[in-house]
């Protein structure tokens, strides 16, 4: 039997402890497969005193993750702390400079510094593996790096954030409140340390920037991606979408267009019979349109201790087998620096919800603004009157605030630019009580 593969694991939270448990549960199987055992020789976390879900064996404790990354007692550094800078970046850099292979689940770090870290890995002849960084347990990085490497990818898209999909599913299926569903996602270990990354769409955008780089060889800066989160999705939108035969999802889409690459993360409406509508709870899915392979859709758990640990372990096993591939499939020198496409050119159908004062002429003014921009409407639904302010009765008493109604518009095919202009004009007219809600309808 050969020498063990020695690991230094920094981060003993949801993912780190999942990995420790997996390596212990499957130690014998993994050793048989690889012909060598995997041993955790060093660990680091913030608090040494914290109770952990599993024993850490004889692993040496390091207060400083950078010291662990440099320590010669381990040959592979596993970064599971999180954070786009700080100790995660310092430790990963230190490990790569020490010619150690690195495995990380940290999409925030990679979205910001991935190309620079890949260059460092390349120049030191070591691996930088990050299967767990995108879509949890779904082996999407391996799929793009290996199985589909010979294809020209035209589009990559998906439900890339488990927390958001969990919240939207709970709001739709169980009529749960947003805050309540988010709390449960946090308790289950799905959410980021700062859940704003999830609900603001940034975590999905981190993942989309990695997929864009892998799929198109394009180094799209994370802040070039158009990002909208789900924090403004209300139960009124969920109800209206359901009644109209749609389902609301947070979707990341990157595609080659005649104007360049379009990359965006936004809530979208998908038809209830679409495969994406079936993807509920913490489940993620990633679709890839390859020129030779055709259209693929991978579905699986997008977050959580076990699925993420499974992805981290597969990266470690690749290292144990001596597989060292360029992190972004091709050498960093051939990655093209591109700018994300401005969404003004985006074309499609739109859902709009307006809270309109219940007074004569309001609807006529709205439809005029739409027609001024050549936006043609497929349907208009006026829902029962509701109060302008929460807690007020629907029918105002004399002198009280005016009642308002939710009006739902579905447009025919139009452009983002036309929609934005029409909605700006509607806002200026003063016939609505709050900012319009606009959600793109995705034909997937
Ligand atoms: P947790 O918050 O559960 O765990 C973070 C761990 O890192 C804790 O053990 C913490 O120590 C340790 N840590 C934090 N800061 C430091 C520091 N400065 N020095 C040393 N240790 C530190 O996070 P997760 O396990 O959920 O996430 C880890 C990474 O995996 C993140 O990059 C995340 O984005 C990514 N990820 C998470 C998934 C999930 O489902 N949770 C899925 C896919 C990726 P202590 O325990 O003492 O507080
Ligand atoms: N917070 C992330 C999610 C973890 O909910 O998808 C997995 O990357």
């Amino acid at each position: 039997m050969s020498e063990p593969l020695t690991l230094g694991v920094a981060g003993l939270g949801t993912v780190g402890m999942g990995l420790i448990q997996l390596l212990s549960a499957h130690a014998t199987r993994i050793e048989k497969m690889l012909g060598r055992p995997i041993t955790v020789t060093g660990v680091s976390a913030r608090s040494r005193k914290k109770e952990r879900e599993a024993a850490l064996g004889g692993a040496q404790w390091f207060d400083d993750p950078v010291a662990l990354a440099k320590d010669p007692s381990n040959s592979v550094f596993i970064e599971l702390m999180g954070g786009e800078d700080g100790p995660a970046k310092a430790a990963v850099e230190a490990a790569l400079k020490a010619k150690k292979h690195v495995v990380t689940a940290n999409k925030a770090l990679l979205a910001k510094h991935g190309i620079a870290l890949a260059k460092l890995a390349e120049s030191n002849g070591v691996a930088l593996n990050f299967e767990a960084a995108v879509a949890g347990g779904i082996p999407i990085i391996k799929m793009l790096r290996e199985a589909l490497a010979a294809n020209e990818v035209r589009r990559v898209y998906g439900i890339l954030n488990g927390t958001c999909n969990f919240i939207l599913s709970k709001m739709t299926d169980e009529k749960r409140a947003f805050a309540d569903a988010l709390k449960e996602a946090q308790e289950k270990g799905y959410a980021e340390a700062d859940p704003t990354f999830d609900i603001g769409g940034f975590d999905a955008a981190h993942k989309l920037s990695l997929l864009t780089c892998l799929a198109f060889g394009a180094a799209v800066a994370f802040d070039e991606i158009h990002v909208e989160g789900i924090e403004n999705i209300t139960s009124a939108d969920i109800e209206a979408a359901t009644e109209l035969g749609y389902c609301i999802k947070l979707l990341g889409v990157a595609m080659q267009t005649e104007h360049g690459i379009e990359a965006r993360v936004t809530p979208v409406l998908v038809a209830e019979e679409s495969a994406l509508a079936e993807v509920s709870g913490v489940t993620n899915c990633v679709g890839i349109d390859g020129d030779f392979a055709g259209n693929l859709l991978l579905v699986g758990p997008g977050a959580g201790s076990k699925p993420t640990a499974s992805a981290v372990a597969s990266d470690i096993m690749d290292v144990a087998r001596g597989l060292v591939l360029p992190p972004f499939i091709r050498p960093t020198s051939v990655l093209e620096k591109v700018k994300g496409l401005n969404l003004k050119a985006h074309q499609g159908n739109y859902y709009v919800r307006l809270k309109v004062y219940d007074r004569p002429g309001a609807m006529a003014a709205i439809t005029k603004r739409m027609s001024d921009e050549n936006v043609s409407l497929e349907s208009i639904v006026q829902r029962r009157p509701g109060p302008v302010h929460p807690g007020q009765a629907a029918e105002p008493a004399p002198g009280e605030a005016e009642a308002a109604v939710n009006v739902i518009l579905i447009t025919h095919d139009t452009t983002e630019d036309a929609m934005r202009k029409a909605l700006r004009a509607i806002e200026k007219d003063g016939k609505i009580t709050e900012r319009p809600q606009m959600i793109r309808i995705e034909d997937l």
Side-chain angles (χ1 to χ4, degrees):
M1 197 63 76
S2 313
E3 286 288 294
L5 184 80
T6 51
L7 310 183
V9 179
L12 300 172
T14 304
V15 184
M17 288 318 295
L19 177 68
I20 301 282
Q21 287 168 332
L22 184 156
L23 293 177
S24 159
H26 292 311
T28 311
R29 292 183 65 246
I30 291 174
E31 185 171 343
K32 272 192 195 147
M33 278 184 208
L34 299 175
R36 64 193 294 203
I38 294 179
T39 312
V40 178
T41 53
V43 292
S44 179
R46 264 181 307 221
S47 163
R48 189 172 188 164
K49 291 194 184 130
K50 202 185 232 179
E51 224 172 272
R52 310 280 168 190
E53 291 93 343
L56 299 172
Q60 188 186 347
W61 178 271
F62 288 75
D63 283 326
D64 177 10
V66 178
L68 173 64
K70 288 179 179 168
D71 196 84
S73 65
N74 62 77
S75 60
V76 187
F77 180 67
I78 318 296
E79 188 282 300
L80 303 173
M81 295 178 287
E84 60 182 21
D85 286 297
K89 176 169 177 269
V92 166
E93 282 174 348
L96 294 172
K97 283 180 188 159
K99 299 201 185 302
K100 286 187 189 181
H101 304 289
V102 170
V103 174
T104 178
N106 189 340
K107 50 269 158 133
L109 170 76
L110 292 166
K112 192 167 175 193
H113 303 291
I115 311 275
L117 293 173
K119 273 187 191 149
L120 199 53
E122 239 171 43
S123 60
N124 285 289
V126 290
L128 172 62
N129 291 345
F130 50 90
E131 185 61 70
V134 183
I138 302 176
I140 183 62
I141 309 289
K142 229 178 195 339
M143 183 65 71
L144 286 166
R145 252 192 209 155
E146 297 174 40
L148 297 176
N151 280 255
E152 183 184 315
V153 177
R154 292 167 176 153
R155 180 172 63 173
V156 56
Y157 62 92
I159 294 171
L160 300 173
N161 185 271
T163 301
C164 286
N165 207 46
F166 182 85
I167 294 171
L168 292 171
S169 300
K170 292 283 171 192
M171 287 174 76
T172 307
D173 302 340
E174 299 171 22
K175 311 269 179 284
R176 295 262 296 274
F178 187 105
D180 178 43
L182 169 60
K183 189 163 166 277
E184 192 181 337
Q186 287 177 293
E187 284 162 4
K188 288 186 148 67
Y190 304 153
E192 296 302 303
D194 175 359
T196 319
F197 280 92
D198 297 293
I199 62 175
F202 307 108
D203 175 75
H206 289 149
K207 293 164 178 166
L208 189 69
S209 76
L210 297 178
L211 291 178
T212 306
C213 194
L214 287 157
F216 308 129
V220 174
F222 161 69
D223 49 15
E224 292 280 339
I225 294 177
H226 176 88
V227 183
E228 291 169 26
I230 63 162
E231 60 276 68
N232 296 325
I233 300 291
T234 64
S235 52
D237 297 313
I238 302 266
E239 268 175 41
T242 307
E243 274 176 28
L244 291 161
Y246 292 102
C247 191
I248 302 181
K249 297 287 178 193
L250 183 77
L251 199 75
V253 182
M255 59 188 185
Q256 308 265 18
T257 75
E258 58 189 284
H259 310 287
I261 289 172
E262 176 177 320
R264 61 189 152 92
V265 170
T266 62
V268 296
L269 263 67
V270 291
E272 63 190 3
E273 60 275 10
S274 117
L276 294 186
E278 298 286 313
V279 178
S280 70
V282 72
T283 308
N284 279 190
C285 75
V286 189
I288 307 157
D289 301 347
D291 62 345
F292 274 66
N295 300 346
L296 284 81
L297 192 66
L298 283 82
V299 181
S305 182
K306 286 185 169 178
T308 314
S310 155
V312 174
S314 83
D315 278 347
I316 297 170
M317 289 175 75
D318 278 352
V319 169
R321 293 183 170 115
L323 185 66
V324 179
L325 298 176
F328 292 104
I329 309 181
R330 64 285 277 163
T332 48
S333 57
V334 304
L335 291 173
E336 279 176 48
K337 223 171 163 38
V338 296
K339 293 212 169 275
L341 179 68
N342 186 322
L343 275 196
K344 271 184 175 180
H346 175 81
Q347 205 151 351
N349 302 49
Y350 289 78
Y351 157 103
V352 175
R353 180 175 55 80
L354 302 167
K355 198 83 183 269
V356 182
Y357 285 116
D358 200 6
R359 62 171 84 132
M363 282 301 293
I366 288 163
T367 50
K368 175 171 186 315
R369 290 302 187 184
M370 288 287 182
S371 89
D372 286 350
E373 297 301 331
N374 277 325
V375 176
S376 150
L377 298 174
E378 184 187 291
S379 73
I380 305 177
V381 180
Q382 179 169 326
R383 295 170 66 84
R384 67 186 149 67
V388 175
H389 303 297
Q392 283 181 343
E395 289 300 328
E400 276 187 355
E402 208 176 336
V405 288
N406 267 319
V407 172
I408 316 293
L409 313 174
I410 301 287
T411 75
H412 284 295
D413 201 44
T414 183
T415 65
E416 182 92 8
D417 196 31
M419 284 306 293
R420 287 181 187 220
K421 282 185 182 148
L423 292 181
R424 263 200 306 273
I426 289 170
E427 267 190 281
K428 274 196 191 145
D429 285 344
K431 309 255 188 268
I432 55 176
T433 68
E434 58 188 38
R435 296 211 64 196
Q437 172 74 287
M438 176 182 97
I439 308 179
R440 294 161 196 85
I441 299 177
E442 200 71 47
D443 187 17
L444 278 169

